[in-house]
Each structure stands twice: as structure tokens, then as C-alpha cells.
Amino acid sequence: MGLSLTDVTVEYADLRAVDDVSLELTTGKVLAVLGPSGCGKSTLLRAVAGLEPVRHGTISFDGQDLADVPTHRRGFALMFQDGQLFGHLTVARNVAYALRLRRVPADRRAARVRELLDLVGLSGFEERLPATLSGGERQRVALARALAVEPRLLLLDEPLSALDTTLRGRLATDLRHILRVAGTTALLVTHDHEEAFTVADEMAVMRDGRIVQSGGLADVWRRPVDVETALFLGYARVLTGDAAGRVAAAAGLPAAAALAVRRSALVAAADVSLTGPLTGTVSGPLTGTVSAVRSTPEQLRLVVDLDGLGELDAVAPLDAHLAPGDPVVVRVDPTRVALLGRQSGVDATP
Amino acid sequence: MVRRHLALAGLALGPLVVLGVFFVVPVAGMVSRGFVVDGSLDVGGVLEVLARPRVHRVVWFTLWSAAAGTAASLLLGLPAAYALHRLDLPLRRGVRALLLVPFVLPTVVVGVAFRQLLGEAGPLGFLGLDGTPVAIVLGLTFFNTSVVIRAVGAAWEGLDPRPGEAAAALGATPLQVLRTVTLPALRPALVSAATVVFLFCATAFGVVLTLGGLRYSTIETEIYLLTTNLLDLQAAAALSVLQLVVIVVLLVLAQRLRATPDPTVQRALPRPRCPRRGDAAVLAATGLLLAFVLAPLLTLLAGSLRAGDAWSLANYRALGTTGDNQALLVPVTDALLNSLRTAVDATWMSLSVGLLVAVVVTRRSQTPSERRVRAGLDAVFMLPLGVSAVTLGFGFLVTLHSGVLDLRDSPLLVPIAQALVALPLVVRTLVPVLGGIDDRQRQAAASLGATPWRAVLTVDLPAVRRPLLAAAGFAFAVSLGEFGATSFLARDDRPTLPVVIFRLVGHPGELNYGMALAASVVLAGTTALVILAVERLRVPSVGAF
């Protein structure tokens, strides 16, 4: 049991924002709907919340059709991208908002607020006003507010997108932990695949109003359904034809018509045949020369011109001492490439 | 630094002189008449006035009728503000424009229209409301719902719907969302609207005079009666001071109430949504308001088209005459021309002063003291809003009669007074627009080599052109309908249309009354046309305070 969407369509005057979407979300799980901005994922979330009228299809929870249930009776909670805290209320009153609506006695209310602020790591913030909080703190308060009455379903609309990168990474981990501890069923929509991977158990990829792929995190990750999905999941490029076959073979994978490669899938090392034997290098069938080198704090990022394949991205350890023109051998990390589920025959470069 | 201050002082000087000569001096002159008797200060006499039982009655009536008018305006205005700004209704813009019209309708016209509606022969005569306080409150409400709709509607339109949605998702019913999220967010706009409406109700003149007669008097009409009929200047001055004090206290209180814990309001322009079942009550209330606004106007129109027991245009044809028994010195058509000419003069005056004030007030301040000075100037130029137009008009009569300021026979006297009445409205229309221009736009222009004037032409002028036009139309309409000050200042041989209407209503004779109705229709039609044109410019700050 849990949330169930069957053939849901949401239309605006001139636009079909959500097109025939079916999804299942089991109680206790977290499902991420991942898609680029404008793909209709927020509209989908708002439809589940009861804020957008559904044109066709049914949304039901635990077997109950929600068509005639207004937003405030659905027992869900919605958390917006920018928190949408009530600016005129203190942090404590924001968190206690839903408790007040349900006439929870003051002492139990105060205890629950303390407990929730503790959970999100904001003890002692009770009397602050939202305007005095940082973006991350505001999102934590919004999360505490949403969790206050233990909603049957928590709806998260890009909960971390408004934050800067480092904070986003940290909060994503916290969010996952908090959702696990509270045992919350949650539907998360985001355009950030890192966020989806950190927080969710299951994933659905949405494009142009349709769900193009759904399943467990690892399944989707290992086998993107098409080129666009692969690129959206963070694969750097998709190889087709001869190139796909040779790189797949180098990774020890069966021949593939289309192969998605992450930026770090190709690992380059100095060519042993020219510089003499080096310990620890892995020989492989791919060889070529370095075209460009750029240093990052963690590794060298290279562009290598592979014999018969053309220029591809690759990485090397920081101590590899490579310079443009150096010959290299390139090993392929099989965990960083994915066979495409459906071939689309396009060599897409991001 | 010094140059900045000199520039500020230079720009502010003109408007300040105008305000000083044509507002402070007349009002002070009028007030001092009451305090100085036979060359010596007589405070006791003034206090004695305030102890009179009639004065107590008048003050009490002013306060409760204004409070009732404010409450009724809010009650009727809020549902309409919501429906017309948040729901996707057919003819939304047309209805919005229509509901703005009452605000600029001449008070005398509204008085006449309500008497026509509620009088013994009127369609609602059976209610027996004619000449009762209820009629006065209805009249006040008729004017001021438009203020509520404009002021609150503008804020509501830009209100981000997502906090409300978050609350609904947390389990708040629509009413709870309204109470706990929407109304707190609208509080500044609500308080502003309520304050301004109370101010307008408490200083209403024409509508109270025509509907209340001598039985029900507010401070404003009492000042009029005391000065013109009873020649009791001392009492009039005492009441003027009392009114001024009450209004200043009110404005300060409102400023306090308006302060919210978090003044930053998230602005968004959500698209209006389709009405749902739950909106039925709101739509019904809006329909009721529409009926309430249309009923007096349609009754007025119907009445103007009746002569004897038949439909006829006789009343309109008679507008070229001076009425039965020589009720007037000049034909009504002359008065109309005179009104239009006066309104043109009043418009350019209020516009030029108002623009200067708006520029001075909205320039970026570099120091806290500079900011205080600008905020102070902003408040000072709102003063005409709070001072009785009657006091102003009478003050003109008693002070502007010597030396270079001997303007009593000047054709500019009436326009100057009307321009002062319209000035706060012009300033309030322009300030949000000029204040909304990001100063960095001007800095960008300057950094690209634009002179200050050139920067103004590039950045400010395009933004302010339409609001300026709208403010002009607004000032024109206000001037056309101005009655309080004009009733003192217009000479009998050069009356404006509202003055003529008031005179016709006061004269016996069926034709005179019919002419008053016809003239009211002409005046209402003219102001309505002007305001509908203004509405087409779609400047949100028009009529919002």
C-alpha cells in the first residue's frame, strides 16, 4: 500500500504538463522523480498534493481515491524549494503550525517542537524569525514543520536546490538520515541526480511530462533507457557503433550498440611500451596520446586522442606527470560505464 | 556631499514653498482666527466650544459613522479584491475599472444618487432609510470599497500563493489558511486601506451634507455650517484643530499597526486560477457589491430621463438654461466648461509639484539622516489628505487677500485648492514607480557615459511615462468632482459643476431637481470616462495607498 498514480494527466490551457503518468510508491520508501526543469515534475507533485486539478487518471493513497479530497484533508505535507516558512511566525510557531491546527495541547506541542528541532539540528532556534536564518537553516525548519504531524506522505519540491553546492551535499545526507529515522514515505522531485541518489530508494526519470524510466536506484543507474536519460543521470557522453564496442570490450563487457561513459570511466597511464615497465599499471587494448591536461584538486583531467576512436575524456592520478603529446594506455572502469537499455543511435556530446 | 544636499534642498524647495503658501498659511490662518479674538489669545473660548453637547454629538457621530463605513467597506471590498485579482473571471478588467469609478465620482453626485434611490419615491424608498445615518454609512461605503479593492487587491495579486499551499498541505482548511497565512501577509495593505478609508469617511463632506442635511453632522460638515451659516469662526477653528489632532493620532497608530515582524514579502505574479466550487461565496459577495454600486447610478440615470410622468430628455435640454426661478446665475453648460478648464489647470499644477515631490522622496539616501529627511517630506506632502477641504477652502478666503497673494479674484484660486487636494494621490501613484527603479540602472547608464539628465531620460522617463499619464487622469477626475474647498472659493458667476448641482438640489422646483440629476449624470459620465481611460493604462499604483 501507499501512493498510487494511474494514467494521471494534468493540462493547462495550452500545455499538457503531466502526460499519462503512472507510479507506485510503497509505504516507508522514498521515490525521487528526476527530470530537467520544465518537465512537469513539480506539477505532478502539486497534483498529488491536490493543488492542481487532474484532467484524467486517478491518484489514490492506501486504496482511497483522492479525487474529491481537498489538499488539507489529504494528510500529506509539502515542502517547497525555498521553504515557504511563514515570515510572521517564529521558528517554533512555524514548526508547531500543523499541531495547532489539530489542537494539540501546548505542553505536548512544545515537547514535539523541541524533539523536531533536535532532529534537524536546530535546538535553541525556537524564538528566531525566519528572516534571520540562513538558507540551509530555513530548509531544516521547513522540514521539521512538514514532519510535525507525521504526514502519511511527505512531498518534497526540489528541497535542496536553493542551497549552495557544499551545503546541498551535507543536507542531502541529513535529509536521508532524518527520513529514515522518522520512517517517512516521501516523494521527492529534483533536477539534481546527486540529490536523488543520496536521498531516494527508487527513481523515476521524467521528461516532457512523461515518465521515461522508473525502478530501483541501482537499476536505473546501471541501465539508462536512452541517451537523454544517460546524460541527465550524469554520464558524460554516450558512445555508439565501433567506439561503443571497443570501449565495452576494454571494460570486459559484452558488445554494445550504445554505451554511456562517465567522465572518470577512462583512466589513463603513461604508455609502458615507450617508458619502460612501471609497477601497478594495467595494460589494456586502448592506446593513444594526450591532447590536453587540466589539474583539479583530486585528479588530472585529460583529453586523449585514442587510436581509431578520436578524442575522449579521461582521468589520471595527480602524480601521473602527463603532458600533451605523451603516449598513454587507457583502462576502462566497468562500474563507470552503462549499457543503454534502448539504442537511439545518436552520438551525443554534452 | 554638500552638492547632493544642495540638490536635494533645491528640488524640495519648490514644492515646500507651494505647500507652505497654499496649505500651511491658509490652514494656520483659519485656525488662528478661532484662537485669536480681538487681538488676544483665547484658548478658553476654544475649550468651551469642545464642551458643547452638540460638538460631542458631532464628534461621536463622526467617529462611529466613519468606523461603520470603514468596516462595511472592508467587508464588501475584501471578497471583491480577491475575486477580481486572484480568480480568472470573464470581464475581470472591466469590472475592476467599473468598481474604481465610485472613488472619483463627485460626492455631490453620489449624495443625489442615493437620495434618488432611497427617497420616498425611489425603488428602495420602502426601506425608510432616507435621511437616516444608515444612508450616510451606505454612501461612505459606496465611495470607499473601491479604495479597499485597489489597495488590498494590488497586494493580494502579488502575494506568493505557496505559503498558503504549504499551510493547506499541512492540514489547514481554506478559512484557516486565510486567517493564519493570507491575512497576516496582507496586514500592511489592510491597515493602510483601513486607515485611508477611515480618513476619507471621517472627512467626507459632500455626501454627508447631501444625505445628512442638518440633522446628522460630522466634524467636516459642522465646520462648514459654523463658518457659512452661523459665522462662529471660533467653534469652526476649534473643530478644525480637533480634526487635525485626531487624524495625526490615527496616522501614527496606523504606522505602528502596519509594522510586521518580517516586512519582506515575497512577490510573485501567480496566474489567476479558474473559480472553483469553494469560491461561490466570494463570487456572490462580489455580485452583491456590483449591484450595490450600480443601483444608485442606474436610479440616477433613470431619474434624469424622466420629466413629469414620461421618459424625456427635457432635463438634459434644460442644462442650457439657468433653471426655474433663476436658480443659477449661469447655465449648467457654462459650469461644465468651467469645470473642465479648472480641472486642466489643477492637473498640471498637481502633476508638476507631485512629480518633484516623488523624485525628491525616492532618490537613494546615502545617510540615515538624509533618509529621515526624505521620509519626513513624504509624510508632509500627505498632509492635505488629512486636513478638511472645508478648512482649506475657508483658509484660502481669509488669508489670500493681501499683497501679491491677493488671489481671491484670480481664476487660479480654485485650481490651486483642487491641485492641493489631488496632490497626495499624484504622489502616491508616482512614488512606488520611481521607488521601484533599481538605482543600479542609473549607475549603469552613468558608467556608460550618460550625463545625469541623459540617465533620467534613459531610465526614469520610460518607466514613469504611463504612471504620469495615469496620475494626470486621476488628478483630473478628482478635480472635476472636488466640492469641499470649491464650494467656498468658486465665485457665483464662475461655478463648477458640483457647486451647480448642489445649488440645484437646494432650490425648489421639479425642473431644478431634474436638472440636478441630468447634470450629475453628465459629471459622473465625464469622470467615469477619464477613469476608464486611466484604467486602460494599467498602472497598479493608481488609487492604491
Side-chain angles (χ1 to χ4, degrees):
Chain A
M1 293 309 256
L3 177 73
S4 169
L5 275 65
T6 318
D7 304 332
V8 171
T9 298
V10 179
E11 278 175 338
Y12 295 126
D14 45 355
L15 176 78
R16 185 169 270 221
V18 175
D19 190 359
D20 219 12
V21 164
S22 296
L23 278 178
E24 293 288 333
L25 170 58
T26 325
T27 308
K29 296 278 186 196
V30 178
L31 168 68
V33 174
L34 181 67
S37 51
C39 75
K41 57 188 190 302
S42 286
T43 308
L44 178 70
L45 193 81
R46 293 170 56 84
V48 172
L51 295 168
E52 299 288 342
V54 174
R55 181 60 59 92
H56 309 294
T58 53
I59 299 175
S60 61
F61 197 88
D62 285 351
Q64 183 205 5
D65 186 353
L66 297 179
D68 292 323
V69 183
T71 303
H72 62 276
R73 295 223 187 85
R74 295 198 174 190
F76 299 167
L78 176 58
M79 181 176 156
F80 282 99
Q81 181 170 2
D82 45 2
Q84 296 299 337
L85 296 179
F86 307 133
H88 61 289
L89 301 179
T90 60
V91 165
R93 296 202 42 151
N94 261 290
V95 174
Y97 183 81
L99 300 169
R100 273 173 191 274
L101 292 179
R102 284 163 182 72
R103 303 186 195 288
V104 173
D107 50 336
R108 272 180 47 209
R109 215 163 55 209
R112 179 80 177 129
V113 168
R114 254 198 315 281
E115 181 189 335
L116 284 160
L117 287 182
D118 198 35
L119 180 68
V120 298
L122 287 180
S123 299
F125 277 60
E126 279 86 346
E127 295 313 312
R128 298 269 293 268
L129 278 172
T132 67
L133 303 179
S134 72
E137 287 164 349
R138 253 176 264 174
Q139 286 306 79
R140 286 168 192 267
V141 174
L143 182 62
R145 182 179 72 177
L147 290 173
V149 285
E150 294 170 359
R152 303 196 282 175
L153 174 66
L154 178 61
L155 303 168
L156 302 158
D157 187 0
E158 307 249 1
L160 308 176
S161 301
L163 309 175
D164 62 57
T165 324
T166 26
L167 192 57
R168 190 157 65 219
R170 214 170 60 222
L171 261 188
T173 318
D174 288 357
L175 180 59
R176 181 184 175 81
H177 171 73
I178 290 166
L179 292 180
R180 289 296 172 287
V181 168
T184 311
T185 313
L187 178 61
L188 162 83
V189 306
T190 178
H191 69 267
D192 177 9
H193 61 271
E194 305 261 1
E195 189 175 312
F197 276 103
T198 315
V199 179
D201 307 299
E202 289 161 35
M203 178 148 75
V205 181
M206 192 164 179
R207 208 165 50 230
D208 297 334
R210 295 177 155 274
I211 299 289
V212 292
Q213 186 175 11
S214 61
L217 273 189
D219 298 340
V220 176
W221 178 245
R222 291 296 307 149
R223 209 166 174 86
V225 73
D226 55 20
V227 176
E228 287 92 334
T229 307
L231 295 178
F232 198 73
L233 288 174
Y235 287 93
R237 65 159 70 194
V238 175
L239 304 175
T240 53
D242 185 37
R246 287 191 51 195
V247 174
L253 293 171
L259 188 74
V261 242
R262 295 192 76 74
R263 198 175 232 296
S264 54
L266 304 186
V267 185
D271 190 340
V272 275
S273 63
L274 291 177
T275 56
L278 278 173
T279 51
T281 49
V282 180
S283 62
L286 298 178
T287 53
T289 49
V290 175
S291 315
V293 183
R294 190 164 62 85
S295 217
T296 71
E298 282 135 30
Q299 56 196 359
L300 294 179
R301 295 210 157 165
L302 313 173
V303 178
V304 291
D305 189 1
L306 291 175
D307 304 332
L309 287 177
E311 294 202 327
L312 283 175
D313 294 318
V315 294
L318 279 176
D319 56 1
H321 304 298
L322 289 170
D326 287 354
V328 284
V329 291
V330 172
R331 168 175 73 87
V332 181
D333 182 346
T335 64
R336 291 171 187 269
V337 296
L339 300 172
L340 254 54
R342 198 171 65 218
Q343 189 202 341
S344 67
V346 193
D347 184 354
T349 310
Chain B
M1 199 63 190
V2 174
R3 269 190 59 191
R4 275 184 64 84
H5 287 161
L6 280 180
L8 167 63
L11 279 178
L13 193 64
L16 278 176
V17 167
V18 170
L19 195 75
V21 172
F22 294 114
F23 183 76
V24 177
V25 169
V27 171
M30 157 81 184
V31 167
S32 65
R33 288 269 144 149
F35 280 88
V36 182
V37 177
D38 298 332
S40 63
L41 191 68
D42 181 15
V43 180
V46 170
L47 291 177
E48 216 169 277
V49 171
L50 297 182
R52 288 182 199 167
R54 172 155 174 103
V55 168
H56 289 174
R57 271 206 313 280
V58 164
V59 169
W60 173 238
F61 181 74
T62 306
L63 289 180
W64 87 250
S65 67
T70 309
S73 301
L74 283 173
L75 221 58
L76 278 174
L78 286 183
Y82 173 77
L84 295 174
H85 288 88
R86 289 309 277 263
L87 297 181
D88 188 14
L89 300 174
L91 297 177
R92 197 159 57 100
R93 295 203 167 273
V95 174
R96 257 156 74 169
L98 182 74
L99 289 178
L100 180 63
V101 169
F103 179 62
V104 288
L105 276 189
T107 52
V108 180
V109 171
V110 175
V112 172
F114 266 84
R115 285 187 59 185
Q116 186 70 11
L117 179 70
L118 300 173
E120 273 172 42
L124 294 182
F126 63 91
L127 294 175
L129 292 176
D130 192 22
T132 66
V134 177
I136 295 177
V137 171
L138 284 180
L140 295 174
T141 310
F142 177 86
F143 273 109
N144 289 303
T145 30
S146 50
V147 178
V148 174
I149 294 175
R150 297 298 286 196
V152 181
W156 214 328
E157 187 164 42
L159 202 64
D160 194 335
R162 288 174 302 166
E165 290 171 356
L170 289 169
T173 62
L175 269 183
Q176 284 172 322
V177 172
L178 183 71
R179 194 169 54 78
T180 58
V181 180
T182 313
L183 288 183
L186 288 178
R187 194 167 84 174
L190 277 175
V191 173
S192 297
T195 317
V196 172
V197 169
F198 190 87
L199 207 65
F200 285 154
C201 287
T203 59
F205 176 60
V207 76
V208 180
L209 197 63
T210 39
L211 286 175
L214 291 175
R215 263 174 65 212
Y216 297 101
S217 202
T218 62
I219 298 180
E220 182 91 357
T221 57
E222 189 71 3
I223 295 172
Y224 175 78
L225 293 175
L226 287 170
T227 43
T228 56
N229 289 12
L230 306 173
L231 299 176
D232 185 351
L233 291 193
Q234 194 170 36
L239 285 179
S240 286
V241 172
L242 180 67
Q243 193 182 36
L244 201 60
V245 168
V246 168
I247 281 161
V248 168
V249 168
L250 176 76
L251 289 178
V252 171
L253 271 182
Q255 197 60 43
R256 288 274 161 79
L257 269 178
R258 204 178 326 196
T260 50
D262 176 14
T264 57
V265 174
Q266 285 161 5
R267 289 268 161 240
L269 268 187
R271 74 172 124 190
R273 63 172 176 78
C274 289
R276 298 178 195 151
R277 239 178 312 161
D279 298 320
V282 170
L283 292 177
T286 310
L288 187 72
L289 175 65
L290 212 56
F292 174 61
V293 165
L294 286 177
L297 297 180
L298 293 179
T299 324
L300 178 72
L301 180 64
S304 74
L305 291 170
R306 308 253 339 154
D309 285 327
W311 296 100
S312 121
L313 287 174
N315 291 329
Y316 289 89
R317 278 195 293 272
L319 292 183
T321 71
T322 52
D324 261 356
N325 305 320
Q326 298 299 308
L328 308 169
L329 286 180
V330 297
V332 180
T333 41
D334 282 15
L336 175 62
L337 285 181
N338 201 14
S339 268
L340 292 173
R341 240 176 272 137
T342 311
V344 169
D345 285 336
T347 302
W348 68 254
M349 289 176 191
S350 62
L351 216 56
S352 39
V353 177
L355 184 60
L356 271 181
V357 173
V359 167
V360 169
V361 166
T362 54
R363 278 295 133 124
R364 232 172 103 97
S365 304
Q366 289 187 338
T367 59
S369 60
E370 196 184 332
R371 195 172 312 126
R372 270 198 297 279
V373 169
R374 290 183 199 272
L377 284 172
D378 194 9
V380 164
F381 284 97
M382 288 301 107
L383 269 182
L385 207 59
V387 172
S388 135
V390 172
T391 307
L392 182 68
F394 196 72
F396 267 47
L397 274 193
V398 297
T399 49
L400 302 181
H401 56 68
S402 57
V404 286
L405 286 179
D406 188 2
L407 291 169
R408 273 182 303 176
D409 285 328
S410 161
L412 289 182
L413 187 61
V414 175
I416 290 174
Q418 294 182 343
L420 281 174
V421 174
L423 181 62
L425 304 174
V426 171
V427 173
R428 279 281 77 93
T429 304
L430 296 180
V431 160
V433 178
L434 282 175
I437 298 174
D438 194 332
D439 206 38
R440 285 173 302 179
Q441 295 243 310
R442 300 186 191 107
Q443 292 162 2
S447 74
L448 293 170
T451 60
W453 274 112
R454 181 79 208 177
V456 165
L457 283 181
T458 325
V459 178
D460 296 68
L461 193 66
V464 90
R465 219 177 43 198
R466 264 155 41 120
L468 210 54
L469 212 54
F474 210 43
F476 191 82
V478 167
S479 153
L480 271 184
E482 210 289 326
F483 179 60
T486 313
S487 60
F488 277 91
L489 300 176
R491 288 171 25 160
D492 288 345
D493 57 342
R494 271 205 309 257
T496 64
L497 206 42
V499 172
V500 160
I501 293 170
F502 185 67
R503 198 151 298 156
L504 283 171
V505 173
H507 268 266
E510 198 194 340
L511 180 65
N512 286 340
Y513 190 67
M515 279 171 69
L517 296 183
S520 296
V521 171
V522 170
L523 185 53
T526 315
T527 33
L529 277 183
V530 171
I531 226 57
L532 291 181
V534 165
E535 182 67 12
R536 283 199 67 81
L537 292 170
R538 295 187 184 172
V539 177
S541 53
V542 170
F545 295 88

